[in-house]
Amino acid sequence: MRKIWTVFLLLASFTVFAEKAMIRGDGTLVVEGKPVFPVGYRAESLADVKEGASVGFNLVMGSGEWGEPQFDYAAAKGMWIIGGDCYLHFHGTQDGIDLHAREDAVIANFLKHTKDQSGRSVPEALDTFGNKDRVIGWIISDEPEAKQTEVAEAAYEVVKGYMPEKLVFSISCDVRWLPGYLNSADVIIYDRYLLQGTKENAESFYHTDNTMSDYLDFACKQWESKSLWYMPQLYQPSYFSLQPQDLLEKRDLRAQCYTAVISGAKGLVFYTWDALKVTYKSDNGRRKEIPLTAEQTSQQLDMLRGIVAEFKSLNDILCDGRPSREVFVNWTAPGIRGPGSIRHRILDHYGKYYLIVHNPLPFDVTGIALNADVNHANSSRNFTGKLITGKEDIVLSRRKEGMVQFTIRPHGCGVIELTRKNIIPRYTKE
């Protein structure tokens, strides 16, 4: 054990941290003192890194297959980097590890048996890439099972001991295990995928949206002392339906992102870039990949550029806006009492309120944004409104002076800025 720690002390003594990253108390990523809402993607090959960089992402997640070219190119393009991994789930966790052993034995076994996809040990990977430019942290596990908690905690201690000013990331798809991993990462990336086939399919996105919202609500609450990000899928829905015409659509992909943000997710990392470029069909009962045409590829890239730009434009609001109860949304149509509860989130950003909303229903819904004091008719009419995002999905109108009424088309989403009116002239006049 003494030799292991000697190795890490020697490695650490040569480390110069190019960037410092931390998670703020509200879960926001802060790099070099500046809050960042990450809009990133996962890529393996250098070609995929280059193609993704052209879309405008501000972060890229690497893998154990990465070498110097991927790191250098991503850094040159100004993207933050989550460094390549030593996956617990796939590489070495079952070999020689005794979960009943003392902590030093668990760590020793982890260092001895865990390799990344290129066969590098943890010390080799960290020493080679740990202090590269734009690297903000390291991913150490992908969908670890509950029985691997102690190993994940050992991995966290090893990586944090080497890079204390950077972050440790983990990926999970099962909310049941999330509370058990609070001591194994700074950020958990939740990767439960929704787009599972044609719109008529019982497993399609809009049949599972409410369940997904519940999962994300639970996950964000469990990780509110740290940070939870969401991983929207880039697998074509045809991966599940085997209908090659089932390609990603902008409204579905945006809805995934808004569902996560409304629940409190503090970042987005799309998975995975190579899956974006193929569709799928059945071949004698097996899944067969079909490359997208040039036209399809162009359409998919343009779609992503729009979504990435949209969420990057919300950086300051999503990072520094605080949850607020000072705005009340009264859903009014369809029906006398409206459609029921529609998921939404209200953030106060230096005195302006931002209503983030998503309509998962197959028909229009209408609501009114009011001052929370809805029992007083005059004081409730207190806002003006402006669309920030979702101009294709949301129409603003005015029901009465000071009331912001909005209608959201089926499966639409966006952000409405609400500004307080000065009520003194109104009351003076009256």
mmCIF file of all heavy atoms in Angstrom, residues 113 127 308:
data_model
loop_
_atom_site.group_PDB
_atom_site.id
_atom_site.type_symbol
_atom_site.label_atom_id
_atom_site.label_comp_id
_atom_site.label_asym_id
_atom_site.label_seq_id
_atom_site.Cartn_x
_atom_site.Cartn_y
_atom_site.Cartn_z
ATOM 1 N N HIS A 113 -6.268 -3.827 -11.027
ATOM 2 C CA HIS A 113 -7.091 -4.539 -11.996
ATOM 3 C C HIS A 113 -7.883 -3.653 -12.946
ATOM 4 O O HIS A 113 -8.368 -4.132 -13.967
ATOM 5 C CB HIS A 113 -8.071 -5.466 -11.268
ATOM 6 C CG HIS A 113 -7.402 -6.589 -10.552
ATOM 7 N ND1 HIS A 113 -6.911 -7.696 -11.208
ATOM 8 C CD2 HIS A 113 -7.116 -6.774 -9.239
ATOM 9 C CE1 HIS A 113 -6.370 -8.525 -10.329
ATOM 10 N NE2 HIS A 113 -6.481 -7.983 -9.125
ATOM 11 N N ASP A 127 -1.799 10.325 -15.352
ATOM 12 C CA ASP A 127 -0.512 10.980 -15.572
ATOM 13 C C ASP A 127 -0.399 11.510 -16.996
ATOM 14 O O ASP A 127 0.183 12.571 -17.237
ATOM 15 C CB ASP A 127 0.622 9.992 -15.295
ATOM 16 C CG ASP A 127 1.985 10.670 -15.320
ATOM 17 O OD1 ASP A 127 2.088 11.791 -14.791
ATOM 18 O OD2 ASP A 127 2.929 10.087 -15.874
ATOM 19 N N VAL A 308 -28.397 23.201 -29.432
ATOM 20 C CA VAL A 308 -27.210 23.586 -28.665
ATOM 21 C C VAL A 308 -27.174 25.100 -28.464
ATOM 22 O O VAL A 308 -26.937 25.592 -27.351
ATOM 23 C CB VAL A 308 -25.929 23.090 -29.370
ATOM 24 C CG1 VAL A 308 -24.688 23.699 -28.731
ATOM 25 C CG2 VAL A 308 -25.847 21.562 -29.312
#
